[in-house]
Amino acid sequence: MQPERSTLKTPPGRRDFLKKAAAAAWATAPWIVPSTVFGANAPSNRIQVACIGTGNQGISILRKFLKNADVQIVAVCDVNRASYGYKSEDQFLGREPARKEVDSHYGKQFGVGAYRGCQAYDDFREIIVRKDVDAVTIVVPDHWHATITIRAAEAGKDIYCEKPLSLTIGQGQAMVKAVREHHRILQTGSMERSNPLTRYVCKVVRDGRIGKVQRVITNVGYNNKAGPGPGWTPMPVPNGFDYKQWLGPAPQVPYHKDRGLYRFRFNYDYSGGQVTNFGAHSNDLAQWGLGTDNTGPVEIDYVSAKWLPKGSLFNTALETEFRCRYASGVELICKTNKRPVGVRFEGTEGMVEATAYAWLARSEPASLITSQFPNGTLRFDASAAHVRNFLDCVRTRRDPVAPVEVGHRSASLCHLGNLAIRLGRNIKWDPDRQQIIGDDEASRMIDPIKVPAP
Ligand SMILES: NC(=O)c1ccc[n+]([C@@H]2O[C@H](COP(=O)([O-])OP(=O)(O)OC[C@H]3O[C@@H](n4cnc5c(N)ncnc54)[C@H](O)[C@@H]3O)[C@@H](O)[C@H]2O)c1
């Protein structure tokens, strides 16, 4: 499907323009469109964004992009036209509601009433070939992250990709390669890195203020949805939902609503349970505080898990705990916990902890944290700051706060935990070569294609 009609002009060579403009104080650059006519955020100056995946998190991220005056959302894409059934059952989402929201936003902003400038697609490949798209958001289930990221990087798009960056370690490696080879900017959706509170907590640790770190505890929540048990029966695919394209690279299996929207988290074909869902936040903070962004642990030396009955639709572990060790001797324990997702660093001289979504931090001695909000704010929209950081980096071509390697290594830590959980045994890992040591079965499971069911 080609764009039906665009009300925005796309000048030739806009990518070159964006680069040049960044180098020469973009906001005041006068040579494309006189700012007296359109202002600094004239359509030709805007970063043109296409949003791929407009479900629970996709619509939230889309709104953060809309809030930036130097962005124009020109397209949305979702394999679901419009339906209920997302995280909150009363959420009505999909590509059509998203398109309408974007058009209505710009209609009001431009004062033109009924505006039609955003195209809706069901196939991301049609977006990726559009020359006028500078950047894409990838907010789809985890089993699609690698394919879409790699295709987008090859097509020269910058990328805001949700966490966990990958479905497998092998996919993450391929994503790093593609992003770097094609000189793209990629921000992983680990928005805790744009939160001044968590940044502060990690700085306290990295500055040695709790002494030598000995132990890190990371929390992941319990499953917040229940799927059907053994003997579940398939359901008819709803109208307007392209289930075949939703499955994409995953095995072709009968449809059930608890397999798809939001609930994909609890099936290893599409995700990694709460270990990758929440663990991608809490373990990312652990990596940040420890200063191990470009490496990882050397072994998983303890693992336990509780499972749902065999034959249940959800097949990820119900409750888990794994412990890993870094070469420095630091141990990290990641476990299912009722406490909010977060991280606790324990050192020889104190302890400091933070929740991933912020708004709470604690330390012993208490004086290590002087304020819950070092910047004096009462609330902080870390997701908005994270999107802004991405947009700034699209202009400056600098790495964002959660570049592809960071997303890959934090996801790798979660994936290693999941491998140990699924195999029920300890694992040794070479973080430099990114290889499993002495376990052929586990090694095969980091392959990007062959991810066996448990
Ligand atoms: N950073 C965070 O705090 C945060 C929060 C929630 C979700 N997420 C991440 O966002 C991603 C999506 O999660 P969600 O809760 O929004 O799921 P969701 O099921 O609510 O939404 C995913 C959307 O992607 C669409 N989709 C699936 N395959 C597609 C494809 N090939 N092309 C286009 N659209 C496709 C689905 O139809 C659906 O509308 C996951 O990776 C999740 O981990 C991150």
Side-chain angles (χ1 to χ4, degrees):
M1 181 170 73
Q2 284 304 307
E4 290 149 21
R5 180 165 66 93
S6 176
T7 53
L8 293 174
K9 253 175 66 189
T10 303
R14 34 177 295 107
R15 301 201 62 79
D16 286 348
F17 161 72
L18 286 171
K19 264 193 238 159
K20 276 188 217 147
W26 159 80
T28 55
W31 60 85
I32 296 288
V33 180
S35 59
T36 47
V37 178
F38 290 118
N41 293 318
S44 55
N45 290 355
R46 293 180 178 198
I47 298 170
Q48 304 212 144
V49 175
C51 296
I52 304 174
T54 56
N56 162 58
Q57 175 73 352
I59 197 71
S60 163
I61 291 297
L62 177 149
R63 288 173 185 151
K64 308 289 176 201
F65 275 84
L66 272 184
K67 284 201 171 128
N68 287 278
D70 62 340
V71 163
Q72 184 77 31
I73 297 183
V74 294
V76 293
C77 170
D78 201 296
V79 297
N80 187 19
R81 191 178 58 226
S83 80
Y84 292 103
Y86 285 85
K87 182 180 180 185
S88 310
E89 302 287 339
D90 60 353
Q91 271 179 314
F92 182 70
L93 300 173
R95 63 180 179 271
E96 273 309 311
R99 183 193 64 73
K100 280 186 191 141
E101 184 162 338
V102 171
D103 278 343
S104 153
H105 173 91
Y106 290 126
K108 282 186 203 135
Q109 191 181 84
F110 300 146
V112 293
Y115 172 84
R116 187 73 207 268
C118 176
Q119 275 71 49
Y121 297 83
D122 57 5
D123 188 335
F124 72 92
R125 288 168 296 193
E126 292 172 3
I127 282 194
I128 293 224
V129 295
R130 270 182 68 163
K131 294 263 182 288
D132 62 336
V133 170
D134 300 309
V136 293
T137 65
I138 300 177
V139 194
V140 294
D142 313 353
H143 66 287
W144 264 114
H145 288 186
T147 306
I148 304 181
T149 294
I150 293 167
R151 294 288 99 82
E154 287 166 353
K157 312 301 179 202
D158 293 325
I159 300 156
Y160 185 101
C161 181
E162 265 306 341
K163 51 50 60 179
L165 188 75
S166 58
L167 183 68
T168 65
I169 294 174
Q171 287 185 0
Q173 290 166 337
M175 293 164 89
V176 170
K177 188 164 173 281
V179 167
R180 291 302 171 194
E181 261 178 24
H182 296 281
H183 307 288
R184 302 329 314 155
I185 301 298
L186 183 144
Q187 175 87 299
T188 313
S190 303
M191 71 286 205
E192 62 276 0
R193 294 221 176 203
S194 290
N195 181 328
L197 183 80
T198 45
R199 173 177 286 275
Y200 181 68
V201 164
C202 290
K203 188 170 179 319
V204 165
V205 177
R206 290 174 77 151
D207 289 350
R209 292 178 59 201
I210 60 167
K212 189 171 171 352
V213 182
Q214 295 182 309
R215 197 157 77 133
V216 189
I217 298 173
T218 59
N219 296 335
V220 299
Y222 284 88
N223 292 359
N224 53 355
K225 299 279 176 195
W232 60 271
T233 46
M235 291 176 159
V237 177
N239 264 341
F241 182 57
D242 185 347
Y243 177 53
K244 200 166 181 297
Q245 180 73 350
W246 186 94
L247 286 170
Q252 299 293 311
V253 285
Y255 176 79
H256 188 289
K257 74 175 176 51
D258 286 337
R259 187 186 287 289
L261 303 175
Y262 186 81
R263 293 153 189 78
F264 65 84
R265 286 161 171 72
F266 308 115
N267 194 308
Y268 284 126
D269 283 337
Y270 324 119
S271 188
Q274 296 297 32
V275 170
T276 54
N277 185 36
F278 289 142
H281 292 296
S282 53
N283 291 321
D284 179 63
L285 283 178
Q287 287 269 104
W288 204 20
L290 291 175
T292 52
D293 274 345
N294 285 313
T295 181
V298 292
E299 63 177 331
I300 311 283
D301 66 356
Y302 170 81
V303 65
S304 78
K306 281 191 191 158
W307 300 92
L308 286 163
K310 240 187 162 36
S312 300
L313 183 54
F314 290 179
N315 64 12
T316 56
L318 200 55
E319 280 181 47
T320 54
E321 179 170 339
F322 67 88
R323 181 178 64 203
C324 41
R325 277 186 201 286
Y326 287 78
S328 61
V330 171
E331 69 176 28
L332 180 150
I333 297 170
C334 174
K335 58 183 177 187
T336 311
N337 203 309
K338 280 204 188 89
R339 302 187 64 202
V341 173
V343 64
R344 174 188 168 100
F345 297 93
E346 297 174 356
T348 48
E349 287 164 40
M351 173 285 291
V352 64
E353 63 183 14
T355 56
Y357 301 119
W359 338 147
L360 268 181
R362 230 166 52 83
S363 72
E364 282 163 17
S367 57
L368 284 173
I369 302 266
T370 50
S371 150
Q372 284 199 349
F373 292 91
N375 67 351
T377 56
L378 289 175
R379 283 194 72 81
F380 186 80
D381 188 343
S383 294
H386 207 53
V387 166
R388 189 60 245 172
N389 171 255
F390 169 69
L391 294 169
D392 290 342
C393 294
V394 167
R395 294 194 182 283
T396 61
R397 310 312 293 168
R398 293 206 188 97
D399 263 347
V401 290
V404 64
E405 290 85 0
V406 160
H408 166 53
R409 290 293 191 157
S410 294
S412 294
L413 170 48
C414 304
H415 295 323
L416 286 170
N418 261 344
L419 285 182
I421 287 163
R422 293 171 72 178
L423 292 168
R425 60 176 178 260
N426 299 343
I427 282 182
K428 288 200 187 301
W429 174 245
D430 179 339
D432 297 330
R433 295 175 161 203
Q434 299 191 56
Q435 283 172 1
I436 284 173
I437 302 167
D439 187 330
D440 290 345
E441 189 182 6
S443 297
R444 280 196 298 276
M445 288 169 80
I446 71 167
D447 181 288
I449 315 290
K450 294 180 204 105
V451 182

